[in-house]
Amino acid sequence: MSGEDDDATNAAADGGTDHPADSPIAEHARPAGGDAPETGLAGPTPEERPHPSGRRDEHGVRKEPDDGGEATRRATVSALVEDEPGVLARAAGLFRRRQFNIESLTVGPTTVEGHSRITLVVEETEAGIDQAKKQLAKLTPVIAVGELSDDAVAAELVLLKVRGHEPDKVHAITSMYDGETLDAGPRTITVQITGDENLIDDAIDAFDQFGIIEIARTGQTALERGDSPTTPGEEPGHSAGSTDDDEFTNYDD
Amino acid sequence: MSEPATPDAASPEEGDDEGRTDRAEQPEQTDEEAAAAREDAATRAPGSGANAVVAALEAAGVETAFGVQGGAIMPVYDALSESSVHHITMAHEQGAVHAADAYGIVRGDPGVCMATSGPGATNLVTGIADASMDSDAMLALTGQVPSDMVGSDAFQETDTVGVTAPITKHNYFASDSDEVGRTVGEAFALANTGRPGPTLVDLPKDVSFGETDRPVGEPTAPERAVPDEEADEAQVEAAARAIETAERPLCLFGGGVIKGDATEQVRAFAREFGIPVVTTMPGIGSFPEDDDLCLSWAGMHGTGYANMAITHTDCLIAVGTRFDDRLTGGVDTFAPEAEVVHVDIDPAEISKNVHADYPVVGDAATVLDQLDAAIGYGDAPDTEAWREQCAEWREEYPMDYAIDPDEPVKPQFVVEAFDAATDDDAYVTTGVGQHQMWAAQYWTYREPRTFVSSHGLGTMGYGLPAAVGARVAADDDREVICFEGDGSFLMTIQELSVAVRENLDITVVVLNNEYIGMVRQWQDAFFEGNHMASEYDWMPEFDTLAEAFGAKGFRIDEYDDVEAVVEEALAYDGPSVVDAHIDPEENVYPMVASGAANGQFALAEDQL
């Protein structure tokens, strides 16, 4: 700000020179003593104000001097939901709208009638994963949300269609990955491989030599090991054939 | 100023003291009678889906609904004709949704709006999004084409549930006449449970027409949606220790304080421990702005002293705020030295935008009582020096404007003139733009729910329909003043017809600068003064236009007009419009540029 306008009362004649010609800025009387700019309010300018030294990162976390920064990680999130129309669209829409980086999303029924399980793999910062879980939990049809531990059981299914010129070799690799041949013809062979994500990736690499024509992957689905519930407080349902209650006695609460 | 012939609608036969005609028709109910009526609605056999919808509203105690008729919602309207629910027909569905929003804000219960399918429903979308951003409890009912035509792109069909899913707390597609009443009751209850928000029920015509004798029951939110009001004791203790050891603690009260009816608790808390207070814009009224502890509101156009306090606090006690970017500026520079205590009923708000060092999840009123009890009296922070510092900033950065009697009237002067002429409990509604900021800055708010504005979504045209809703919700003896800008007012001006028909005592003050003023201000600051599409020198004469609607018109051209017009407009029993021609070049300061640090607020354009 300039110091020339301390007495702004009669400064109209030389005011407004900083502004476009079609935007004349009128000068207005201001009580004496104010260090008034041409227009606006009185008071010390930004440079004259004290500034704190602290800082936050883009997630609003106050930075420590040795702060490592913005590492992302992959998380597998399992949501138990009411099986009602639109619930998948709500979850997917939420993730799109809030720009969460979603790797895969699977959904299917559980042993409890009227409940489904959505399994999501997201790659986000720690704050992003936390937020994704909380936003998901907020959806009305969502019953519970859990993040799976690293040693959870996770699996994916892939269908691979490859060139059928070398059926023996294809069969050998299919066997190596405990896969199954679903369709074999003179020109193409279609196999199914099931396993965790790394195994699927390896299998795809191995089949690549034959020329992969088409791939369909389901995305990961996962459950916690042993007696640990996959989502907090999850009550196990009993499928029609299961009467062995002892297996679930540790699920109380 | 012309002297208008008093329109018939503005002179109810019952006489002036009876106020609005709609109220005069409805005898006052005692609490017992109201409870009995709700019980009856909850337990009787409705007969049809549409009757069940209306019974659900009655069982929820809904007194007023705002809406517009149409093909797919006709069965519900037909049922409504036999109901105790008073329906106010609005000129446009956007008017209905804003009116319902404001009604809900003033009453503290969800407002209800109704529209037909297709364009009716999509016209609600802006207002639903608005309510969602501001966490306003509201129930929207939309008609839908018959179930067997859904998905066929039938006449006036829209996927309303799909369109409104991201902007509702939850929405429902009614598929069964037997269930629809319970669904409407659940939607109403859910809107007001925990963190409030808008809900919607889409009503296919065949479901409304369908027979049912199943009573609708009490409106009940799903159990999972009911959060614990009390916060975890360990969280409260940790937050209490942080507050005790702070040297420069600062309370930041957001809209959640008002939604959570926690104003009494937050006021007692701040005063007991002598902690200065800033509010967010939605939090205006949570703390009296004339209190010594109050530094008014912080953020983009908040006071300099509030933004200085935020910048230098070492312990920010944030209650019921979502740390909107208009409050924080860039989060990397927001309250950079503060440990943040964040109290919120919605766990997803914790650390969403600004990391909370001390998260406290619970109902604001309950948590403040818990915090109060957890802070030892001997351990309360010594805030005297900090309070003095805040007082110094208040002296250094006064909210002020200069008057030259020969120049056009300053908008701030008009706002202050209306404030001075009205009681503390007057309601102010606003549109969005410069006028909204002046109405927020230069009116001294002392009570919760008296500032009704579009905060998060920033919906131009919000002010007039909101004034209609606020007027219907408010006690007759409280004033409703609507501040609008010329551009904003023109967006929903058709609702003036409703105010005239219902003879609503509203004073609309148009701060008319013949600009989309806030855009003009930004164009001057950031677009080299290129006023592309922001010059509105084609505005109508609003005072004359008001007369055409049947309202009373006033005009302010100079300072000498102000006192008399304020007096006459407030005295007029019915809708009036004051076309206040203000200084077209006046801008809103202080201003924190988008994404900048709060402490770097500009006091004038050359500081941006």
Side-chain angles (χ1 to χ4, degrees):
Chain A
M1 64 185 283
S2 72
E4 296 152 16
D5 296 333
D6 283 354
D7 180 8
T9 314
N10 294 311
D14 52 42
T17 50
D18 292 337
H19 301 277
D22 61 341
S23 173
I25 305 293
E27 290 293 334
H28 299 288
R30 188 175 290 284
D35 189 15
E38 280 184 356
T39 61
L41 297 168
T45 63
E47 307 82 64
E48 294 165 343
R49 298 170 203 156
H51 300 294
S53 54
R55 204 107 185 134
R56 295 176 188 275
D57 67 16
E58 65 177 83
H59 300 294
V61 183
R62 278 187 308 141
K63 281 185 185 168
E64 302 301 330
D66 58 347
D67 191 356
E70 299 295 300
T72 60
R73 70 174 174 91
R74 281 164 68 96
T76 306
V77 175
S78 187
L80 197 62
V81 304
E82 303 275 4
D83 188 11
E84 60 181 46
V87 63
L88 185 60
R90 285 178 204 275
L94 165 72
F95 277 70
R96 175 194 50 75
R97 182 163 61 92
R98 295 200 179 266
Q99 298 195 52
F100 294 123
N101 189 9
I102 187 163
E103 303 274 308
S104 82
L105 185 158
T106 63
V107 63
T110 70
T111 54
V112 178
E113 179 133 7
H115 287 184
S116 287
R117 184 185 305 285
I118 296 176
T119 308
L120 288 143
V121 180
V122 291
E123 180 155 350
E124 276 290 332
T125 59
E126 210 55 58
I129 292 166
D130 192 44
Q131 185 60 209
K133 288 190 288 186
K134 289 195 284 196
Q135 291 293 343
L136 194 56
K138 245 175 92 163
L139 295 177
T140 301
V142 173
I143 300 159
V145 175
E147 183 183 342
L148 279 79
S149 53
D150 289 342
D151 72 340
V153 181
E156 183 175 359
L157 183 149
V158 65
L159 300 182
L160 282 152
K161 187 185 290 179
V162 299
R163 294 264 170 241
H165 308 315
E166 299 172 288
D168 293 348
K169 277 188 171 177
V170 170
H171 183 72
I173 293 193
T174 306
S175 301
M176 266 170 61
Y177 286 97
D178 285 335
E180 200 178 332
T181 304
L182 301 180
D183 178 51
R187 296 170 59 80
T188 66
I189 300 170
T190 304
V191 302
Q192 166 189 310
I193 310 286
T194 312
D196 70 17
E197 196 186 15
N198 291 335
L199 180 129
I200 301 279
D201 287 344
D202 289 350
I204 291 170
D205 283 347
F207 280 106
D208 203 32
Q209 58 181 301
F210 309 114
I212 299 174
I213 303 165
E214 286 176 340
I215 284 182
R217 290 176 74 153
T218 60
Q220 210 181 132
T221 191
L223 289 177
E224 277 295 356
R225 279 183 196 278
D227 287 340
S228 308
T230 297
T231 65
E234 183 169 355
E235 295 283 336
H238 299 261
S239 62
S242 167
T243 53
D244 187 0
D245 280 356
D246 290 347
E247 285 182 32
F248 298 105
T249 46
N250 289 339
Y251 269 92
D252 292 349
D253 291 337
Chain B
M1 231 168 304
S2 60
E3 190 62 43
T6 308
D8 290 344
S11 49
E13 286 173 16
E14 290 82 4
D16 288 344
D17 56 333
E18 283 293 321
R20 299 180 300 286
T21 48
D22 58 303
R23 280 292 172 85
E25 287 163 9
Q26 293 194 325
E28 285 292 317
Q29 265 189 336
T30 66
D31 287 351
E32 293 80 39
E33 283 168 348
R38 287 201 299 275
E39 169 82 18
D40 172 60
T43 53
R44 72 170 177 251
S48 72
N51 283 328
V53 169
V54 172
L57 298 180
E58 291 172 348
V62 173
E63 290 175 24
T64 307
F66 302 85
V68 178
Q69 259 280 27
I73 195 75
M74 278 169 70
V76 179
Y77 270 88
D78 194 55
L80 204 56
S81 66
E82 302 288 306
S83 167
S84 65
V85 177
H86 177 59
H87 180 266
I88 296 185
T89 303
M90 301 295 287
H92 188 285
E93 288 88 355
Q94 190 186 352
V97 64
H98 292 325
D101 183 14
Y103 181 95
I105 292 169
V106 168
R107 281 284 176 101
D109 281 324
V112 176
C113 60
M114 305 169 66
T116 194
S117 64
T122 55
N123 280 346
L124 293 181
V125 166
T126 300
I128 295 171
D130 192 294
S132 178
M133 290 286 267
D134 291 348
S135 305
D136 294 335
M138 188 171 75
L139 171 63
L141 300 174
T142 49
Q144 185 53 279
V145 300
S147 303
D148 60 2
M149 293 172 75
V150 166
S152 71
D153 298 334
F155 176 66
Q156 293 195 328
E157 185 194 350
T158 296
D159 173 15
T160 304
V161 165
V163 167
T164 60
I167 53 170
T168 48
K169 188 170 170 181
H170 189 52
N171 61 14
Y172 302 80
F173 182 87
S175 54
D176 184 344
S177 303
D178 281 338
E179 289 295 326
V180 66
R182 287 184 178 276
T183 302
V184 169
E186 179 178 309
F188 183 92
L190 179 63
N192 215 18
T193 300
R195 179 182 184 172
T199 57
L200 179 144
V201 185
D202 203 27
L203 304 162
K205 204 167 182 178
D206 57 314
V207 172
S208 297
F209 270 133
E211 289 181 11
T212 178
D213 277 333
R214 188 184 295 185
V216 299
E218 301 277 319
T220 314
E223 204 176 314
R224 270 201 314 280
V226 183
D228 289 339
E229 298 201 336
E230 205 162 291
D232 177 75
E233 205 50 50
Q235 287 185 339
V236 172
E237 285 295 329
R241 298 293 88 79
I243 295 167
E244 283 167 3
T245 52
E247 290 175 3
R248 303 184 303 280
L250 182 69
C251 289
L252 172 67
F253 295 149
V257 169
I258 295 171
K259 316 274 177 217
D261 288 325
T263 47
E264 201 182 304
Q265 285 81 0
V266 299
R267 291 174 181 198
F269 180 84
R271 285 168 179 155
E272 179 173 351
F273 300 111
I275 301 174
V277 172
V278 301
T279 74
T280 67
M281 209 173 89
I284 285 175
S286 59
F287 203 83
E289 293 189 322
D290 56 350
D291 190 296
D292 281 347
L293 282 174
C294 192
L295 303 169
S296 290
W297 51 284
M300 182 171 276
H301 291 299
T303 63
Y305 32 99
N307 282 319
M308 287 302 280
I310 285 245
T311 302
H312 292 276
T313 176
D314 64 351
C315 180
L316 188 66
I317 306 152
V319 186
T321 174
R322 62 193 173 87
F323 292 106
D324 180 89
D325 60 273
R326 283 296 189 270
L327 166 72
T328 61
V331 289
D332 57 333
T333 52
F334 178 73
E337 299 191 330
E339 293 203 294
V340 174
V341 175
H342 190 182
V343 178
D344 209 292
I345 190 89
D346 180 358
E349 282 308 323
I350 304 290
S351 298
K352 186 182 80 179
N353 293 336
V354 171
H355 177 75
D357 302 282
Y358 300 95
V360 191
V361 179
D363 167 67
T366 312
V367 169
L368 265 288
D369 280 342
Q370 287 180 277
L371 266 179
D372 187 76
I375 296 177
Y377 289 97
D379 299 328
D382 178 9
T383 62
E384 198 179 336
W386 170 235
R387 275 183 282 132
E388 277 171 21
Q389 174 63 71
C390 290
E392 259 176 52
W393 283 325
R394 197 201 295 267
E395 295 289 314
E396 277 186 287
Y397 300 102
M399 292 300 292
D400 196 11
Y401 57 96
I403 293 173
D404 183 335
D406 299 327
E407 293 285 332
V409 177
K410 291 288 185 186
Q412 301 94 325
F413 185 84
V414 178
V415 172
E416 287 187 331
F418 274 97
D419 187 13
T422 51
D423 293 334
D424 288 352
D425 61 3
Y427 293 97
V428 172
T429 76
T430 78
V432 166
Q434 287 184 317
H435 68 278
Q436 177 190 27
M437 296 302 136
W438 290 316
Q441 289 176 332
Y442 287 91
W443 188 287
T444 304
Y445 297 89
R446 296 173 180 86
E447 297 302 327
R449 303 185 186 280
T450 56
F451 181 60
V452 181
S453 194
S454 170
H455 303 282
L457 199 66
T459 308
M460 287 176 67
Y462 180 85
L464 176 58
V468 169
R471 178 71 278 168
V472 174
D475 291 338
D476 287 355
D477 58 351
R478 296 176 70 165
E479 291 281 358
V480 174
I481 313 291
C482 167
F483 286 101
E484 273 287 5
D486 45 317
S488 185
F489 187 41
L490 207 59
M491 286 193 168
T492 55
I493 197 168
Q494 67 272 24
E495 303 306 337
L496 207 47
S497 62
V498 176
V500 169
R501 188 196 69 222
E502 301 281 326
N503 191 32
L504 302 179
D505 189 8
I506 295 165
T507 307
V508 180
V509 185
V510 186
L511 298 179
N512 186 349
N513 58 6
E514 298 195 349
Y515 277 113
I516 294 281
M518 193 60 95
V519 169
R520 198 275 328 277
Q521 179 168 343
W522 284 48
Q523 286 171 330
D524 283 341
F526 309 117
F527 293 87
E528 294 161 343
N530 179 17
H531 294 169
M532 176 63 193
S534 63
E535 285 175 6
Y536 273 38
D537 50 8
W538 41 273
M539 280 291 108
E541 301 289 327
F542 288 112
D543 53 336
T544 313
L545 191 55
E547 304 280 342
F549 273 105
K552 179 94 170 151
F554 298 94
R555 185 175 166 118
I556 290 173
D557 282 307
E558 50 191 64
Y559 283 105
D560 284 348
D561 301 334
V562 174
E563 191 182 342
V565 166
V566 167
E567 196 176 305
E568 284 178 53
L570 290 175
Y572 183 72
D573 181 27
S576 60
V577 174
V578 178
D579 190 2
H581 288 257
I582 56 161
D583 181 350
E585 302 302 333
E586 187 67 7
N587 280 338
V588 182
Y589 292 105
M591 175 173 176
V592 179
S594 280
N598 288 59
Q600 298 291 91
F601 55 87
L603 298 164
E605 187 181 315
D606 58 9
Q607 292 178 0
L608 279 167

